[in-house]
Amino acid sequence: MLHGLAGQALAFVAALALAPLLSGWVAQCRAWLQNRTAPPLWQPWLVLHKRLLRETVVAENASPLFRSVPALVFACMAIVCTIIPTLSTDLPLAVVADAVVLVGLLALARVLLSLAAMDVGTAFGTLGARRDMMVGFLAEPVLLMVLFTAALGARSTSLASIVDVLAHRELAIMPSLAFAGVAFTMVSLAENGRIPVDNPTTHLELTMIHEALTLEYSGQHLALIEWAATLKLFAYSCIGIALFCPWGLAADDTPLALLLAVPALVAKLAIGGMLLAIAETVSAKMRIFRVPEYLGIAFVLAVIGMLIHILLGA
Amino acid sequence: MNALALQFIDLLAAVSLLLAFALLIQRRFSAMIDFYATQSLVLVITTSLAGWMTGQRHLYLSAALTFVLKVVLIPVLMHTLLRRLHLDSTVDTVVKLPTTLLMGLLLVIFAFGVARPIAQLSTALASGTLGIALAGVLIGFLMMITRSRAIPQVLAFLAMENGVFLAATGVTHGMPMVVELGIAVDVLIGILILGVFLSHLHSAAPSPGATAREGDGA
Amino acid sequence: MGAILLPEMANWPLLQGLLVSASVWCCLGLIGGIQRRPGHAAHLLHASGAVTAAAVALLALLALPGEPRTLTIDHGMAGFALHFRLDALSALFAALLGLVSAGVSLFSAGYFSTGDDASGRRICVQYHLFIASMLIVLLADDTATFMLAWELMSIASFLLVVTDHRDPATRRAGYLYLLIAHAGALAILAALLLLQVDPMNTSFEAMRENADLRSGSSVVFLLALAGFGAKAGLLPLHAWLPEAHPAAPSPVSALMSAVMLKTAVYGLLRVTLDLLQVQSWWWGALLLGLGLASALGGVLFAAIQTDMKRLLAWSSIENMGLIFCGMGLAVLFSSHGMQPMAALALTAALCHVVAHALFKSLLFLGTGAVLHATGERNLGRLGGLICTMPWVGWLMLIATLASAALPPSAGFVAEWLLLQCFLFTPLLPDPFLNLLIPVVAAVIILASALAGYTMVKFFGIIFLGQVRGDAARACQDAGRWERAGLVWLAIACALAGLVPTVLIRLIDPAVRQLTGRGASEELLATPWILVPVDIDQASYAPLVLLLGIVGTAGGLVIVLRRLYPGRIRRSPPWNCGYEFSSSRMQDSAEGFGQPIRHIFGQIFGIRRELPSPFDHAPHYEVSVRDRIWEHAYLPIARAIRSISAFAERLHPVSITACLMPVFVAMLAIIAWAVL
């Protein structure tokens, strides 16, 4: 139990520390692929530090909701990162929330952020809220269906049990995971505001989704929201790793095993980040009207993945 | 080892179905052809694997034939045709895409439900493959219905044929060689006829789908 | 609560107490009806009503774990006595009725104290009769009592709906409601008569005893489904609901949505799982299919509404759909003999019943407060109310999160349990059914995700942003009584979400009564963690989760304050540097519904009028019609109209000619019966 808590704390700290670095790594890879000079790996940390030092400007008509949302969204994302088995599957806090709650927490963060964006009452804020909720209500079922496909195999929605089953069974190939994998990739690109759906580096009004939501935030609030966004990317990467390549986790919860699991995680994240950068570089952003179609495809693929699981697994 | 290979065949069948869906929703002709080639490649791997597992030589031959014909020859021919006729525009669908997708989903459920009792009778390689292959065939048929232009329809037909081959490999260790050869020659001749036909049609009227496309307001 | 079981409690006259409470309500109504100055009396009468409601809740909670209590009031006519029965199922619903109506009555004490005297008097009578009749519906144990109370409930609610009878739209809504309610009541009556085995004994007890003598269960089920489905607003019998709920005064809408719809759930459960002992699998499949259609259809129409009460009414249809999905799963499982799964599904459905009753009454009361303060129900003219009406705004946020099924709220618990049922389906014997289950789960998740979208629209446009109209600018927060009612319901709603194990313990006796199996040992053993089957399979601890979120957020803020003493400055909104910004530049309710109209365009009948870019006075209009209304209701109406036109032409001149055929027919029937 004590070791479990230590592992949990280590995973929490690792998530907070590594998440900005993962975003920095993706940006670096993109820069290399596009023949630009790459920013340093710790650039997101520098940006966070800079924003935290700055003065925070709040709109006059903003309600207390606007001011409390950044910390709440950050807390939701931090808890999401804590309940995903990244280093070991022995997580005492895993009983608090299972896969369905995980999706619920992501939805809670999105709803809070959208409400905050509507709070100031600018055209961009409400536009961003509407678009983000649109992406959200289509993406949420996909993510849940992907998790369900894995959960059916483990007969459990507890993430720790799912990963435990996936990691410790004999080497076997699950055809349903092919569909789930494609659907998951599509939905994580959409949810993290990545290129076919949204462009994290643009501020062009007509196309932006996530940036429009956070337009009114500045200073410490913005720092927290950006940190939360990197945590979200980290969480999605970790879900992907946990479902589709769950090897290299700590076998027991001795401190040594936990510490050895950290480099494995970093290596897997590095490969994942590289793939993300490649995917973003080779594809073009689609029109916003195409996004529902894109997510609809992901939805159908996720459902078929589950069907294949039932067909073959039973 | 054998169990692993069986699962691998199931995985390949799933990938093949995935590619059938990709064909169903793809708008660009050239990408459709590439997806078809990939699907055929998956079929080649499946057939060779089945041959290796069951030790039947003629499956290797079938795989080689599939590779030459469907992975190399037909895609190259189709690409040439596209280039020559400047046809690489978006595909116009008769039915809206989300509706097509939903119909595809229902077909998958239908195919899986139907295949289950049949698959339990079979003692061959991978019983799950039958359902997936049947779904692939039905998706191909759906694509033929929902597309209004010639090239996607032909590709749909070819994808359907891939599904039939997959089912044959999975359930009965492949069809007799004579049948396979016959189908292969048939398909090749069909493609050649299509090429000649389309070239003539193109020189007579600039775009065969022009009238149908006007209705699409999106 | 459920654990308290004193030895002598079995003898307590709880059922009598409940009946006395119902008569107290009736008396309060009568006093209100003859009051000289109903405005002042409203505080006192409605507050006494609230106290009575709290007593009802308490009595029902005490009766939950015990054995069924019965009472027969014989009024001289042999075989036609009034039978009452208080078992776990009716106690659960009665407790819910008490809990919700206590809050609503408190709110009404403030809400109905203004307004003209005549309508105040009338509302007081109808309101209390309405609550009392709902309680009698829950307690009735024979066909006559049940149908009497059911009809009284329908009529009282109809009168409440047409409170504003000078408005033709309200009258139309009322008549539509009355029509569908009566058609439904006929179906229920037919079902109950078919259930009756002994012609002289209409009590439900006799039906239970002689269940094996009966045939034609499926007909009974279909009739009951039609009757109770019409009351529940199940597609395609939903047409009255989005018309009637917005037309009624808000506390009445709250009661109708929160409790009256639930009496339909109660009735269907009573008939299907209690009175009918056999079940076929297709009943469950039918319930599941209708529930799914209602859930998806309801939430899609909710997402595009521009009237706040109509939006909530459609959202009620969605929630009823989800509840029926849970019931369908329960019937499906129990017809295949999987009692533990049936118990889980029924627990999920009843959890949703409780959660929906609490958050929807809160939401409707909130719209009532907004309506009182601004006189405006169109979303497009509201906005920014969280600053002027902080009490209502923040309490509504709790209900909004619950309605959006977000953790750690009450709505999420119900959805979570429902999804667990889908996941742990030990494969059903039917292959097609088996393959359809994931699709059903996917649609349910989609519906609840869309509910999130809808609730963001609802809350964001009413309470956040810039003020859109003049009415919304100068408004005051709700008064003391209103606040008390809202706080009561908000606390209940928050507690139901945070300590779901307590809620499930309360539900458990009813589930045990209907399925023969209760919740698992694990579920009852761990107080803080919700575990449906096994802790390795799934668990959820909302209180810990909330503490985690608040703790992390608070800790973070404190740490950051220490490390970075940044200042906070107020300034005009940045708005991408655009100087001019008016409230009309925010998204309107129509604008927020646009993605839904775009994506699901084929489901709606949309008519759009777009201005040309060169138009000097641009006019934009979009109207969305309900296709079911057009393709199912209007043809029936046309058919009836043509039949009546035909009858008109046959219209004879005198009443003699009119009555003659009837008289002859009567003679013929008597002669046929005698011979």
Side-chain angles (χ1 to χ4, degrees), chain A residues 162-222:
Chain A
I162 293 174
V163 176
D164 220 23
V165 170
L166 286 175
H168 289 113
R169 62 162 179 206
E170 300 206 357
L171 188 63
I173 305 156
M174 290 169 74
S176 54
L177 285 186
F179 277 84
V182 174
F184 179 76
T185 312
M186 290 172 82
V187 77
S188 37
L189 288 175
E191 278 276 70
N192 287 290
R194 291 288 158 171
I195 249 185
V197 176
D198 190 10
N199 189 349
T201 56
T202 186
H203 280 82
L204 185 64
E205 291 96 351
L206 287 177
T207 59
M208 61 187 177
I209 301 177
H210 187 257
E211 290 303 315
L213 279 178
T214 60
L215 213 50
E216 291 299 325
Y217 278 114
S218 61
Q220 295 200 348
H221 291 158
L222 187 60

Side-chain angles (χ1 to χ4, degrees), chain C residues 184-525:
Chain C
L186 279 181
I188 296 170
L189 184 61
L192 290 179
L193 289 180
L194 280 180
L195 271 173
Q196 198 176 321
V197 182
D198 178 3
M200 284 313 286
N201 194 345
T202 65
S203 77
F204 290 171
E205 199 54 56
M207 297 178 195
R208 263 182 223 111
E209 279 163 9
N210 302 322
D212 41 345
L213 298 177
R214 194 173 39 237
S215 59
S217 304
S218 292
V219 179
V220 174
F221 170 75
L222 286 178
L223 280 169
L225 180 61
F228 292 117
K231 196 53 139 187
L234 213 58
L235 243 58
L237 296 170
H238 66 289
W240 63 275
L241 205 150
E243 305 294 324
H245 282 220
S250 294
V252 177
S253 318
L255 274 184
M256 284 172 75
S257 232
V259 190
M260 192 185 77
L261 298 186
K262 305 303 180 301
T263 59
V265 175
Y266 163 82
L268 197 60
L269 283 177
R270 174 70 74 199
V271 170
T272 314
L273 291 175
D274 186 24
L275 300 183
L276 284 172
Q277 253 107 33
V278 277
Q279 285 125 24
S280 324
W281 68 268
W282 65 265
W283 299 3
L286 184 65
L287 279 173
L288 202 56
L290 288 175
L292 271 188
S294 308
L296 202 58
V299 75
L300 285 178
F301 273 92
I304 56 168
Q305 298 304 316
T306 54
D307 177 320
M308 57 179 178
K309 290 182 77 176
R310 199 175 280 260
L311 185 150
L312 292 181
W314 278 105
S315 147
S316 287
I317 295 180
E318 179 231 336
N319 283 291
M320 292 309 288
L322 290 178
I323 292 168
F324 273 76
C325 279
M327 282 162 59
L329 272 185
V331 172
L332 205 56
F333 285 133
S334 105
S335 71
H336 282 116
M338 305 176 191
Q339 293 307 325
M341 300 309 301
L344 186 58
L346 197 61
T347 309
L350 289 176
C351 253
H352 204 118
V353 164
V354 175
H356 179 242
L358 293 173
F359 69 70
K360 194 46 69 68
S361 54
L362 188 52
L363 285 172
F364 265 119
L365 292 186
T367 59
V370 170
L371 200 60
H372 240 202
T374 63
E376 193 56 69
R377 55 201 288 173
N378 188 342
L379 289 171
R381 302 212 191 90
L382 295 164
L385 290 182
I386 200 166
C387 297
T388 45
M389 304 177 75
W391 275 89
V392 178
W394 288 100
L395 291 175
M396 291 284 271
L397 186 60
I398 295 176
T400 303
L401 293 181
S403 181
L406 293 172
S409 70
F412 182 77
V413 174
E415 197 207 329
W416 189 79
L417 283 172
L418 193 59
L419 288 179
Q420 295 295 339
C421 308
F422 280 110
L423 190 72
F424 295 118
T425 314
L427 300 165
L428 290 165
D430 189 334
F432 272 107
L433 214 55
N434 226 332
L435 288 167
L436 278 174
I437 291 290
V439 183
V440 173
V443 174
I444 285 183
I445 301 166
L446 181 66
S448 63
L450 275 164
Y453 184 93
T454 310
M455 291 325 288
V456 165
K457 167 182 169 171
F458 174 82
F459 188 81
I461 291 186
I462 297 180
F463 291 99
L464 304 176
Q466 296 182 41
V467 181
R468 286 187 180 78
D470 292 331
R473 194 160 286 129
C475 62
Q476 284 186 332
D477 207 348
R480 257 176 310 151
W481 291 105
E482 278 105 326
R483 256 181 240 173
L486 289 172
V487 167
W488 168 271
L489 287 171
I491 288 175
C493 188
L495 282 181
L498 288 177
V499 278
T501 40
V502 175
L503 176 64
I504 286 172
R505 261 178 228 202
L506 294 181
I507 290 173
D508 197 45
V511 174
R512 213 172 277 275
Q513 181 199 342
L514 292 182
T515 62
R517 284 289 289 265
S520 60
E521 293 299 316
E522 285 85 357
L523 210 158
L524 299 175

